[in-house]
Amino acid sequence: MNTPPETIAALLFGPDRRGLVAQVAGWIHEGGGNIIHADQHRDGEEGIFFQRVEWAPAKGKLESQMASFETLASELGMNVRLARSSDRPKMALFVSRAAHCFHDLVLRWKAGEFRGEVACVISNHESLREASAGYGLPFYHVPVNPGNKAQAEEKQREILKGNGVDLVILARYMQILSEEMLDKMGCPSINIHHSFLPAFAGARPYHQAFRHGVKIIGVTAHYVSAELDAGPIIQQEVTQVNHRHGVSDLMRKGRDLEKAVLAQAVRWHLENRILVYNNKTVVFD
Amino acid sequence: MNTPPETIAALLFGPDRRGLVAQVAGWIHEGGGNIIHADQHRDGEEGIFFQRVEWAPAKGKLESQMASFETLASELGMNVRLARSSDRPKMALFVSRAAHCFHDLVLRWKAGEFRGEVACVISNHESLREASAGYGLPFYHVPVNPGNKAQAEEKQREILKGNGVDLVILARYMQILSEEMLDKMGCPSINIHHSFLPAFAGARPYHQAFRHGVKIIGVTAHYVSAELDAGPIIQQEVTQVNHRHGVSDLMRKGRDLEKAVLAQAVRWHLENRILVYNNKTVVFD
Amino acid sequence: MNTPPETIAALLFGPDRRGLVAQVAGWIHEGGGNIIHADQHRDGEEGIFFQRVEWAPAKGKLESQMASFETLASELGMNVRLARSSDRPKMALFVSRAAHCFHDLVLRWKAGEFRGEVACVISNHESLREASAGYGLPFYHVPVNPGNKAQAEEKQREILKGNGVDLVILARYMQILSEEMLDKMGCPSINIHHSFLPAFAGARPYHQAFRHGVKIIGVTAHYVSAELDAGPIIQQEVTQVNHRHGVSDLMRKGRDLEKAVLAQAVRWHLENRILVYNNKTVVFD
Amino acid sequence: MNTPPETIAALLFGPDRRGLVAQVAGWIHEGGGNIIHADQHRDGEEGIFFQRVEWAPAKGKLESQMASFETLASELGMNVRLARSSDRPKMALFVSRAAHCFHDLVLRWKAGEFRGEVACVISNHESLREASAGYGLPFYHVPVNPGNKAQAEEKQREILKGNGVDLVILARYMQILSEEMLDKMGCPSINIHHSFLPAFAGARPYHQAFRHGVKIIGVTAHYVSAELDAGPIIQQEVTQVNHRHGVSDLMRKGRDLEKAVLAQAVRWHLENRILVYNNKTVVFD
């Protein structure tokens, strides 16, 4: 099998107007590029146009096309984010005691499922230090308590910076990132919430679900924003439950969903497939 | 195929104690009955025992066993509800303009899927009069507006009484039953809510879901209680959606869920499979 | 709400080559058209390119663009099928005794879910004559038996021709269409098979599934081809079952799947969303 | 939290007759036991009765009740299998190169999800030796080739015996166990097949599925029998796919199903919830 050629993936959005598809496709074609994937969406109500287009540039023109495409987008009045297929964004896993999402993400990474690298593990507990070492991953213990939160987050930001982290993953991390942290850390973060948001936001969602007698439980992967558990939803999945399932069964069934949904959200993010607007997402899968 | 023998289905619940299963099974066995189905559940936290047991009584003993089983249950300190397999509870369908649940329930009833009879249709609109007539069903137009609600509900109760109704089904009926109506109408009612409760209770749930950018929509069948959309949940189902789905797509996809989930809840109710306690349900399916 | 402008939807496929997306989009843009939806797919293994593109032509240019787009496609070496949004293809429903898919399709059509018209009902039994009349649909009874199959199919073709039918839907029709019928009837046909094909092709699939003790049952909508139950699959859905479900339960649960999946396949076909090649389908949903 | 009392779980089946439920429940009650869970099933067609009953025996009577319950079952003409909640059956994992089910089972075991112990890993490849060591598990490399199969299987049986193995799990093990091996190894084995059986039995099922253009792929956990991929099905799950998914996507999506379904089957087996008859399973979940 020969290596597939390097590609550029562009995520665009902006005010809808006639001819956008033709202009972008024409530009790529005239520059000698070959479109590998193109998908677009039009929000009729808001009059916004969204596009993901991925192309293999002509030989030796990757660098220059990255730059000139930005110009094109700006001329078209579009917002753009570009990524090349050889990019390997660095991820930091924030964890507490729960181990299932941690192991799941690391094993998928090692199996080659992600277009990115796990760079380090940050935890407010010691319990996953040894497992991290077993995977060859740097582990940073940053205890957090009501009195030291600001300093702890400063410490975390230093670690992120030191490791060149591009994406923070809250893999059942049981602390809330402060608004200041979100502002200053300089990269997006994805959280897995163990309920079908917006139902059961906040603490102990499986207990809330059990008390309500719901017949379905779910989980939600979302970008983290300042409002707790209210950031743009990336993916959700659910499973059927019944009266025989106690809270611990809900937790066990939920763990399987959490692993699958968080991994899916991370995969999409790393492949530059997610556009955010109006606190919602467009996922070009 | 010969007719299956008539059976009695008992739904019991009460404080858990040693020997309940043996005592009930022994009583049936000694009376010459044959257990067809038995299922039980124990809520460990609350210390409550639930059972559904269905048996074919010895020939000629059905009437007497109905009576004496009530005595047994009371001796065991259990709450009981009894039904015989030949019972055909009568249902009233409350509808407004939306026709899909109406047609679906009537067609399933005509296809023999329900252990009960559709007795009449009550609506605050005229639009389903002709379709009801086509099915041979009495149709009652009872307009409801802010000024006449009490009288309208009185009228509805008269219709229910006149038709000997045992179960009210709100098949996308767009009016809220008052607390007085629920108290006085003398039979339970099942509603289909077009969201995954407790998310999006109240009006226009598909619009709420769309605005939140959820990736899954759902519907909920529940018994109606005085608190809006907060009665005991009987069944829920969901389906995946994405950014391509506008509000009208959510509605179309939702209609299929609404039909399936409401029919399932009605079927379970008619087969005496649902126990309610603590605003939750135990469904012996 | 003002009427949306009339659109043209083109389904293209052919050998992949550089610039196809740009050429098609450019052609539409230069002609003053506005692209409403565009989706493409590339089968890397086979080197085939697939595209669905839907656009609103400039005022008064719909007719001429229908013609000249065919020329464009042929210059690009692509196979094309065109449809305009105002087209209302006519459907014939072939039925036997089972009524659920019949009612479901007719009610969805009356509710406006389909971009097409139900033109007539053809059956080898009398049982749905009255229901058809109730819906205002012409009903043709064409008995089929081993001795008269060729004449019966000739009769059916006359009815199709007389009603100007564009699509045949086998809505649980219990006869196999002969190869001659498929060749001569002059329009495609969609069948709903009550199993998860290729498992359980042929007769009595629920009985086959029950005997195998499967934990999931499914249904399959597919285009009909000469080989029994082996035509291109359009859509499949499944549901979980367990040891408590007898054959009649599988049938009841299956009916709900059959209705949903057949309706989905018909909707996609009518919206010109399905391309067939290599006995598989590409569905641009 | 105090330890729950030790329980006995009995799985019974045999010819149906009046009074079985009462006799079993009565026996347990008279012996001072407390029924924790009871579920039964009657195969009407075959006239067979199935039951799972779990009870906490009176203090100090566990041993004697294990013995005398066998006598009771035999008097009732029933086949019985007994297990106590403190039993910790030993499992051997058979693996080849694919690592996902291996890691998944071991991590679930370490997280306390299984009522049993992973005793050892047996592989025809070296690739999981280091990972096994990391988990503290003995790893046995037993190469298999056409010329040495009989000796290799003898070697495997020695390892099973030496480790006191009660259950063999084929966790994507790419060799077929011979009939002799199944006869002589003295314990049941569970396999995960990466298709929705009976569709796509045999080799390379994802390639078969892709070629057929199915819209759903599935996996099947089953007990291994002499006929390839035809043993009693324990559990199946599926996921939707479309034309965009190539073979490698089917494999990736399939891996998640394989992990979940194999783990579920193992959990049920270890909790003594599965009865096999007529090459089908009754699962009391």
Coordinates of all heavy atoms in Angstrom, one line a residue, chain B residues 135-176:
Chain B
Y135 N -64.1 4.7 10.3 CA -63.8 3.5 11.2 C -65.0 3.0 12.0 O -64.8 2.1 12.8 CB -62.6 3.9 12.2 CG -61.3 4.1 11.5 CD1 -60.5 5.3 11.8 CD2 -60.7 3.2 10.7 CE1 -59.3 5.5 11.2 CE2 -59.4 3.4 10.1 CZ -58.7 4.5 10.4 OH -57.5 4.7 9.8
G136 N -66.1 3.7 11.8 CA -67.3 3.3 12.6 C -67.2 3.7 14.1 O -67.8 3.1 14.9
L137 N -66.5 4.8 14.4 CA -66.3 5.2 15.7 C -67.1 6.4 16.0 O -67.0 7.4 15.3 CB -64.8 5.5 16.0 CG -63.9 4.3 16.1 CD1 -62.4 4.7 16.1 CD2 -64.2 3.5 17.4
P138 N -67.8 6.5 17.2 CA -68.5 7.7 17.6 C -67.5 8.8 17.8 O -66.4 8.6 18.4 CB -69.2 7.3 18.9 CG -68.8 5.9 19.2 CD -68.1 5.3 18.1
F139 N -67.8 10.0 17.3 CA -66.9 11.1 17.4 C -67.6 12.3 18.1 O -68.7 12.6 17.8 CB -66.5 11.6 16.0 CG -65.6 12.8 16.0 CD1 -64.2 12.7 16.0 CD2 -66.2 14.1 15.9 CE1 -63.4 13.8 16.0 CE2 -65.4 15.2 15.9 CZ -64.0 15.1 15.9
Y140 N -67.0 12.8 19.2 CA -67.6 13.9 19.9 C -66.7 15.2 19.8 O -65.5 15.1 20.2 CB -67.7 13.5 21.4 CG -68.5 12.3 21.6 CD1 -67.9 11.0 21.7 CD2 -69.9 12.3 21.8 CE1 -68.7 9.9 21.9 CE2 -70.7 11.2 22.0 CZ -70.0 10.0 22.0 OH -70.8 8.8 22.2
H141 N -67.3 16.2 19.3 CA -66.6 17.5 19.2 C -66.8 18.3 20.5 O -68.0 18.7 20.7 CB -67.0 18.2 18.0 CG -66.3 19.6 17.8 ND1 -66.9 20.7 17.3 CD2 -65.0 19.9 18.1 CE1 -66.0 21.7 17.3 NE2 -64.9 21.2 17.8
V142 N -65.8 18.5 21.3 CA -65.9 19.3 22.5 C -64.9 20.4 22.4 O -63.8 20.3 22.8 CB -65.7 18.4 23.8 CG1 -65.9 19.3 25.0 CG2 -66.6 17.2 23.8
P143 N -65.3 21.6 21.9 CA -64.4 22.7 21.8 C -64.0 23.1 23.2 O -64.7 23.1 24.2 CB -65.3 23.8 21.2 CG -66.5 23.2 20.7 CD -66.7 21.9 21.5
V144 N -62.7 23.5 23.3 CA -62.2 23.9 24.6 C -61.5 25.3 24.4 O -60.8 25.5 23.5 CB -61.1 23.0 25.1 CG1 -60.6 23.4 26.5 CG2 -61.6 21.6 25.2
N145 N -61.9 26.3 25.3 CA -61.2 27.6 25.3 C -61.1 28.1 26.7 O -61.7 27.5 27.6 CB -61.9 28.5 24.3 CG -63.4 28.7 24.8 OD1 -63.6 29.1 25.9 ND2 -64.3 28.5 23.8
P146 N -60.3 29.1 26.9 CA -60.0 29.5 28.3 C -61.3 29.7 29.1 O -61.3 29.5 30.3 CB -59.2 30.8 28.1 CG -58.6 30.7 26.7 CD -59.5 29.9 25.9
G147 N -62.3 30.2 28.4 CA -63.5 30.5 29.1 C -64.4 29.3 29.5 O -65.2 29.4 30.4
N148 N -64.3 28.2 28.7 CA -65.3 27.2 28.9 C -64.7 25.9 29.4 O -65.3 24.8 29.4 CB -66.1 26.9 27.6 CG -65.2 26.0 26.7 OD1 -64.0 25.9 26.8 ND2 -65.9 25.4 25.7
K149 N -63.4 25.9 29.9 CA -62.7 24.7 30.2 C -63.5 23.8 31.2 O -63.6 22.5 30.9 CB -61.3 25.0 30.7 CG -60.5 23.8 31.0 CD -59.1 23.9 30.6 CE -58.3 22.7 30.8 NZ -57.0 22.7 30.2
A150 N -64.0 24.3 32.3 CA -64.7 23.5 33.3 C -65.9 22.8 32.7 O -66.1 21.6 32.9 CB -65.1 24.4 34.5
Q151 N -66.7 23.6 31.9 CA -67.9 22.9 31.3 C -67.5 21.9 30.3 O -68.1 20.8 30.2 CB -68.8 24.0 30.6 CG -69.3 25.1 31.5 CD -68.4 26.4 31.4 OE1 -67.3 26.4 31.7 NE2 -69.1 27.4 30.8
A152 N -66.4 22.2 29.5 CA -66.0 21.3 28.5 C -65.6 20.0 29.1 O -65.9 18.9 28.6 CB -64.8 21.9 27.7
E153 N -64.8 20.1 30.2 CA -64.4 18.8 30.9 C -65.5 18.1 31.5 O -65.5 16.8 31.5 CB -63.3 19.2 31.9 CG -62.0 19.7 31.3 CD -60.8 19.7 32.2 OE1 -61.1 19.8 33.5 OE2 -59.7 19.7 31.8
E154 N -66.5 18.8 31.9 CA -67.7 18.1 32.5 C -68.4 17.3 31.3 O -68.8 16.2 31.5 CB -68.7 19.1 33.1 CG -69.6 18.5 34.1 CD -70.6 19.6 34.6 OE1 -70.2 20.7 34.8 OE2 -71.7 19.2 34.9
K155 N -68.5 18.0 30.2 CA -69.0 17.3 29.0 C -68.2 16.1 28.7 O -68.8 15.0 28.4 CB -69.0 18.3 27.8 CG -69.5 17.8 26.5 CD -71.0 18.0 26.4 CE -71.6 17.2 25.2 NZ -71.1 17.7 24.0
Q156 N -66.9 16.2 28.7 CA -66.1 15.0 28.4 C -66.3 13.9 29.4 O -66.4 12.7 29.0 CB -64.6 15.5 28.4 CG -64.2 16.4 27.3 CD -62.8 17.0 27.5 OE1 -62.2 17.0 28.6 NE2 -62.2 17.5 26.4
R157 N -66.5 14.2 30.7 CA -66.7 13.2 31.6 C -68.0 12.5 31.4 O -68.1 11.3 31.6 CB -66.6 13.8 33.1 CG -65.3 14.2 33.5 CD -65.1 14.4 35.0 NE -66.0 15.5 35.5 CZ -65.6 16.8 35.5 NH1 -64.4 17.1 35.1 NH2 -66.4 17.7 36.0
E158 N -69.0 13.2 31.0 CA -70.3 12.6 30.6 C -70.1 11.6 29.5 O -70.7 10.5 29.5 CB -71.3 13.7 30.2 CG -72.0 14.3 31.4 CD -72.7 15.6 30.9 OE1 -73.2 15.6 29.8 OE2 -72.8 16.6 31.7
I159 N -69.3 12.0 28.5 CA -69.1 11.1 27.3 C -68.4 9.9 27.8 O -68.7 8.7 27.4 CB -68.3 11.9 26.3 CG1 -69.1 13.1 25.7 CG2 -67.9 10.9 25.1 CD1 -68.3 14.0 24.9
L160 N -67.4 10.0 28.6 CA -66.6 8.9 29.1 C -67.6 7.9 29.9 O -67.5 6.7 29.7 CB -65.5 9.3 30.1 CG -64.4 10.2 29.5 CD1 -63.3 10.5 30.5 CD2 -63.7 9.5 28.3
K161 N -68.4 8.5 30.7 CA -69.3 7.7 31.5 C -70.3 7.0 30.6 O -70.6 5.8 30.7 CB -70.1 8.6 32.5 CG -70.5 7.9 33.7 CD -71.2 8.8 34.7 CE -72.0 8.0 35.7 NZ -72.8 8.9 36.6
G162 N -70.9 7.8 29.6 CA -71.8 7.2 28.7 C -71.3 6.1 27.9 O -72.0 5.2 27.5
N163 N -70.0 6.1 27.6 CA -69.4 5.0 26.8 C -68.7 4.0 27.7 O -68.0 3.1 27.2 CB -68.4 5.6 25.8 CG -69.0 6.3 24.7 OD1 -69.4 5.6 23.7 ND2 -69.2 7.6 24.7
G164 N -68.8 4.1 29.0 CA -68.2 3.1 29.9 C -66.7 3.0 29.7 O -66.1 1.9 29.8
V165 N -66.0 4.2 29.6 CA -64.6 4.2 29.3 C -63.7 3.8 30.5 O -64.0 4.3 31.6 CB -64.2 5.6 28.7 CG1 -62.7 5.7 28.7 CG2 -64.8 5.8 27.4
D166 N -62.7 3.0 30.3 CA -61.8 2.5 31.3 C -60.4 3.1 31.2 O -59.6 3.0 32.1 CB -61.6 1.0 31.3 CG -62.9 0.3 31.3 OD1 -63.6 0.3 32.4 OD2 -63.3 -0.3 30.3
L167 N -60.1 3.7 30.1 CA -58.8 4.3 29.8 C -58.9 5.4 28.8 O -59.4 5.2 27.8 CB -57.9 3.2 29.2 CG -56.4 3.6 28.8 CD1 -55.6 4.0 30.0 CD2 -55.7 2.5 28.1
V168 N -58.3 6.5 29.3 CA -58.2 7.7 28.4 C -56.8 7.7 27.7 O -55.8 7.6 28.4 CB -58.5 9.0 29.1 CG1 -58.0 10.2 28.4 CG2 -60.0 9.1 29.4
I169 N -56.8 7.9 26.4 CA -55.5 8.0 25.7 C -55.4 9.4 25.1 O -56.2 9.7 24.2 CB -55.4 6.9 24.6 CG1 -55.4 5.5 25.3 CG2 -54.1 7.1 23.9 CD1 -55.6 4.4 24.3
L170 N -54.4 10.2 25.5 CA -54.2 11.5 24.9 C -53.3 11.3 23.7 O -52.1 11.2 23.8 CB -53.6 12.4 25.9 CG -54.4 12.6 27.2 CD1 -53.7 13.6 28.1 CD2 -55.8 12.9 27.0
A171 N -53.9 11.1 22.5 CA -53.2 10.8 21.3 C -52.8 12.1 20.6 O -53.4 12.4 19.5 CB -54.0 9.9 20.4
R172 N -51.8 12.8 21.1 CA -51.5 14.2 20.6 C -52.6 15.2 20.8 O -52.9 16.0 19.9 CB -50.9 14.1 19.2 CG -49.7 13.3 19.0 CD -48.5 13.9 19.8 NE -48.3 15.3 19.7 CZ -47.7 15.9 18.7 NH1 -47.0 15.2 17.8 NH2 -47.6 17.2 18.7
Y173 N -53.3 15.0 22.0 CA -54.4 16.0 22.3 C -53.7 17.2 22.9 O -52.8 17.1 23.8 CB -55.3 15.3 23.4 CG -56.4 16.2 23.9 CD1 -57.4 16.6 23.0 CD2 -56.5 16.5 25.2 CE1 -58.5 17.4 23.4 CE2 -57.6 17.3 25.7 CZ -58.6 17.7 24.8 OH -59.6 18.5 25.2
M174 N -54.0 18.4 22.3 CA -53.2 19.6 22.6 C -53.8 20.4 23.8 O -53.5 21.6 23.9 CB -53.1 20.4 21.4 CG -52.4 19.7 20.2 SD -50.8 19.0 20.7 CE -49.7 20.5 20.6
Q175 N -54.6 19.8 24.6 CA -55.1 20.5 25.8 C -54.6 19.8 27.1 O -54.4 18.6 27.0 CB -56.6 20.5 25.8 CG -57.3 21.3 24.7 CD -57.2 22.8 24.8 OE1 -57.2 23.3 25.9 NE2 -57.0 23.5 23.7
I176 N -54.4 20.6 28.1 CA -54.0 20.0 29.4 C -55.3 19.6 30.2 O -56.2 20.5 30.3 CB -53.1 21.0 30.2 CG1 -51.8 21.2 29.4 CG2 -52.8 20.5 31.6 CD1 -51.0 22.4 29.9

